[in-house]
Amino acid sequence: MDVPANLSKIAPWISKTTECMELRLVQPQLGHPDASEPVSYTVFEPTFTYPIFGEQEVVFGYKGLSIKISYTSGSLRIYPCIDYKQKYEPGSSSSATTAETPEGPDDVSNMLLDFLPKQDCFSNYDEFVRAVQEDAESFRPIGEKIHEYSRESSESGEEHFEIYRTSFTNEKFKKYHRRMQFFVLLLIEGSSYIEENDEKWEIYTVYKRQNTGGSTIYHFVGYCTTYPFFYWPECTRLRISQFLILPPYQKEGHGSELYQTIYSTCMLRNDVKELTVEDPSEDFADMRDRNDMRYLNTHNAFDKLVAPVSRKTMKELRQKFKLTDRQMQRCIEMYLLSRINPKQKEEYKAFRLQVKQRLYLFNLDALRDLDPEDRKDKLEQTFDNVIEDYHRLLEMI
């Protein structure tokens, strides 16, 4: 909604959607036969809601508004529930109308359903609970399983996870993706839905596999979309587009496992010559840097490298390890920094010049208009910031 000028009068009827909305992953209540509820919830909040409710991320017309979007934890069938204590009624004594007051409350339900697959949404809670129990037994991930791994949990011991790859050529997955994609609007800034009629998209999904009572239950953890672009002369540049691990599973290494799987898959594919990333967030860039450095170190990419590293060597490494030119240069710079002794003046000078040359070329448009002295100071400041960030990243590796 657009916020009118008489905000103080209508403020009690305005709800901040990032605060009144929550997402729930719902699964059967396992191991608790006497539990009062047949299901259990894992709850988290959206980071953004402006794709649905507008730039201000508010709705008008309710007091005590509650928006709960529940998902079956594996199959992702949906139960949207909207509740409130009081609803605005134009003309009532408690809802005084002025020329700048909205005519009526926002239709929250329809605003949500514009982005959700209506045919997969329940309107009855009991039917949704039955779906939770049925889908726990019957749902299986769609696509080709390409990797599995384990993690230790303080609560349940060893937990098992699987990664699958598929595309929109699979009609069953296309329907599943319509349920899955809602998360990116709420958790990835600036994200939008991708075109499901484009069968070139490759989608990687992550699931937790839970073995209980002789049966296996799968829970959705996250996913990544990738798209192949032409790479001269007859090859592919694979671009990571959307990359999401749901909040309950973040900070547990699942993002790294997913990225490593995609990167390792690229390394095995003769058609893919480069892996790129579309507008990475700071957290994703950090994760990518750590994993690229570990992979390059493990495969002895930096053996015998000293500054200055020639363009020929950089090109050979970039082509061998299928990273972009900038990413490979940054990884080389981090490696050199980790090995260099600042007290060795000539060695450190060669390193500084190499990094500054890259920074100058990368920021050429911004630097070329500065006076020589200002340009020198700006480049020095940029260099110091880069080195500080490299030290931060090296401490994590």
Side-chain angles (χ1 to χ4, degrees), residues 16-52:
K16 185 71 173 174
T17 50
T18 52
E19 298 172 358
C20 66
M21 184 176 182
E22 67 179 32
L23 302 164
R24 296 179 166 197
L25 301 174
V26 188
Q27 65 183 65
Q29 190 76 261
L30 301 172
H32 302 283
D34 298 327
S36 58
E37 281 285 331
V39 295
S40 61
Y41 301 87
T42 300
V43 179
F44 56 99
E45 296 176 348
T47 308
F48 315 100
T49 59
Y50 60 82
I52 303 158

Side-chain angles (χ1 to χ4, degrees), residues 46-61:
T47 308
F48 315 100
T49 59
Y50 60 82
I52 303 158
F53 300 111
E55 185 178 352
Q56 301 294 330
E57 297 185 314
V58 298
V59 293
F60 170 78

Side-chain angles (χ1 to χ4, degrees), residues 229-273:
F229 288 88
F230 173 75
Y231 188 91
W232 190 88
E234 295 179 350
C235 297
T236 296
R237 172 184 287 112
L238 193 66
R239 185 179 71 184
I240 292 175
S241 178
Q242 300 164 325
F243 192 101
L244 175 66
I245 300 297
L246 296 183
Y249 296 99
Q250 290 177 7
K251 308 299 182 183
E252 297 177 0
H254 301 296
S256 287
E257 203 75 42
L258 178 56
Y259 177 78
Q260 289 168 14
T261 301
I262 295 169
Y263 182 45
S264 297
T265 300
C266 288
M267 291 298 294
L268 295 172
R269 288 174 57 174
N270 293 329
D271 64 311
V272 175
K273 297 303 180 183

Side-chain angles (χ1 to χ4, degrees), residues 292-306 317 321 328 330-336 339:
D292 286 348
M293 285 295 292
R294 288 172 184 144
Y295 186 93
L296 294 169
N297 270 317
T298 300
H299 290 80
N300 304 313
F302 303 126
D303 281 5
K304 301 179 181 179
L305 283 188
V306 293
L317 287 171
F321 292 102
M328 179 54 74
R330 293 181 71 259
C331 288
I332 288 173
E333 290 166 8
M334 277 188 271
Y335 168 78
L336 293 174
R339 295 292 188 270

Side-chain angles (χ1 to χ4, degrees), residues 150-161 208:
S150 299
R151 287 283 183 274
E152 285 295 328
S153 167
S154 58
E155 296 180 359
S156 54
E158 191 174 52
E159 296 181 335
H160 304 281
F161 300 85
K208 176 182 175 181

